[in-house]
Amino acid sequence: MSGGDQLFALQRRERIMDEIREHGSVSVSDVATRLGVSELTIRRDINALAQQGLVTRVHGGATLRSSIEPGLAPGLAGHDPTVTKYTIGMVVPSLDYYWPPIVNGARAQALQLRARLMLRASTYDVRDNRKQVEALLNTPGMHGLIVAADQSGDEGLEMLRWLDSLPVPVVLAERRIRSAAGVHRLESVVTDHATGAAEAVRHLHASGHERIGLLTQSEYPTGRYVRRGWSSAIKSLGLPTDGVQLNGMRFDAPGREREMDDVLDRCEKTGTTALIVLPDPQALALEQHCLDRGIRVPQDLALVAYDDDVARYGDPAITAVRPPKQFVGREAVNLLIARLEGGASRPAHRVKLSAELHVRDSSQRLATESTPMPEEATV
């Protein structure tokens, strides 16, 4: 490699590190597009950075290295004991799918604010949530916690009250504070899922759809807010309320073809021409099944996914509502450190962030058959 090539490689890797420090992670395809080089070149750069212990390679990109990775020196994890100001614990119910961007956002913001982030994975079980929180509380020098605890039922209310009583400040991430808990010190940052779902309904209505259905996977905590936003928008627009509705669908389980056939048959019987689907892997599976059955997307059935993790891989690419996951993690760290620096007199903040609708081909208004094609497109 010539001296000039070495310089260019160094500049690219510095850009990659800047992106990772700011966002917590990078995508190979995104960086390659921005820098105008091949994805193979960026993969080589990431491999070189990983060999230096600066990043962790993940599928499709790289993330900040975690302080819990084997053999990782504190300084390489963004944690230097001589400059670190705060130690923050974080408990999330999963380390795949929805939560990695939230964790990456929190880690990136913690690094910028001279905080050490200690991560623990839990489940959607209240008792396991409490066990992981207690483990972090027993860590010497713990200043505060970010928690995504299950809040369902009486156990969930008791969990909120317990978190409110802890000797360190607590911020809930993507979890709302139930008024029945009667807590006052807890803070929270959540996505406004109801407004995101309502925006999807309005987009589909503007594309000419009247009967707009909703499919949700039952165990998703965001499902109730998506249903609330969908219902509110349907009523405010004066649309029919008999579109297909299904809570608890699983298009990734045995018998899924039969379940998807049932949904499509119900769409035909009710005149439902558009569906909002949470989460987007289920939307992707449904789209593929539509193609297998000869149902055209969006001509016969328009689709909008909720989450936007894999929706862009559809054929056609699926329109999706994207929660601001990295910003949820960042804002959780901001809230926690602001409380630590502002003291008990600072009022509790409960922040709601907007989701974004990313319009793609699966829901686009199509030209009617009577609309002539441009001459240059005629064959």
Side-chain angles (χ1 to χ4, degrees), residues 308-338:
D308 203 22
D309 278 312
V310 296
R312 63 189 179 277
Y313 299 126
D315 185 17
I318 301 175
T319 293
V321 179
R322 180 186 299 172
K325 300 173 189 176
Q326 286 200 357
F327 289 96
V328 169
R330 283 182 170 276
E331 187 60 23
V333 172
N334 287 337
L335 287 175
L336 192 54
I337 291 181

Side-chain angles (χ1 to χ4, degrees), residues 5 11 20 32-33 52 77 80 103 139 156-157 176 187 200 210 219-220 223 325 349:
D5 291 339
Q11 291 172 334
I20 293 178
T33 299
Q52 297 175 54
D80 183 343
V103 172
T139 302
L157 286 176
R176 286 162 174 78
E187 305 198 33
E210 295 290 319
E219 63 263 34
Y220 267 65
K325 300 173 189 176
H349 284 49

Side-chain angles (χ1 to χ4, degrees), residues 4 17 26 39 50 211 224 235 275 282 314 332:
M17 288 304 303
V26 293
E39 293 189 8
R211 279 182 171 82
R224 68 175 72 102
K235 291 176 182 177
L275 290 172
Q282 310 288 0

Side-chain angles (χ1 to χ4, degrees), residues 56-72:
T56 297
R57 287 173 295 181
V58 296
H59 180 68
T63 70
L64 283 173
R65 294 207 68 179
S66 168
S67 59
I68 63 175
E69 289 185 50
L72 181 61

Side-chain angles (χ1 to χ4, degrees), residues 253-328:
R256 66 178 190 158
E257 288 83 6
R258 184 171 57 253
E259 187 173 0
M260 287 188 285
D261 280 337
D262 179 61
V263 168
L264 296 177
D265 290 342
R266 288 169 61 186
C267 286
E268 184 177 3
K269 290 176 183 178
T270 60
T272 300
T273 60
L275 290 172
I276 298 171
V277 186
L278 167 72
D280 55 334
Q282 310 288 0
L284 193 60
L286 182 62
E287 181 187 59
Q288 293 168 353
H289 193 66
C290 285
L291 299 177
D292 292 342
R293 278 192 48 173
I295 296 172
R296 300 170 301 169
V297 177
Q299 294 93 327
D300 302 321
L301 182 67
L303 294 175
V304 173
Y306 199 99
D307 271 357
D308 203 22
D309 278 312
V310 296
R312 63 189 179 277
Y313 299 126
D315 185 17
I318 301 175
T319 293
V321 179
R322 180 186 299 172
K325 300 173 189 176
Q326 286 200 357
F327 289 96
V328 169

Side-chain angles (χ1 to χ4, degrees), residues 196-249:
E199 186 175 357
V201 172
R202 288 191 291 270
H203 161 69
L204 289 167
H205 179 243
S207 297
H209 299 279
E210 295 290 319
R211 279 182 171 82
I212 301 168
L214 176 67
L215 310 180
T216 59
Q217 189 173 316
S218 58
E219 63 263 34
Y220 267 65
T222 59
R224 68 175 72 102
Y225 304 107
V226 169
R227 287 191 294 274
R228 184 180 301 168
W230 170 84
S231 177
S232 175
I234 291 289
K235 291 176 182 177
S236 67
L237 292 169
L239 301 180
T241 59
D242 58 350
V244 172
Q245 302 176 50
L246 180 61
N247 179 35
M249 57 82 184

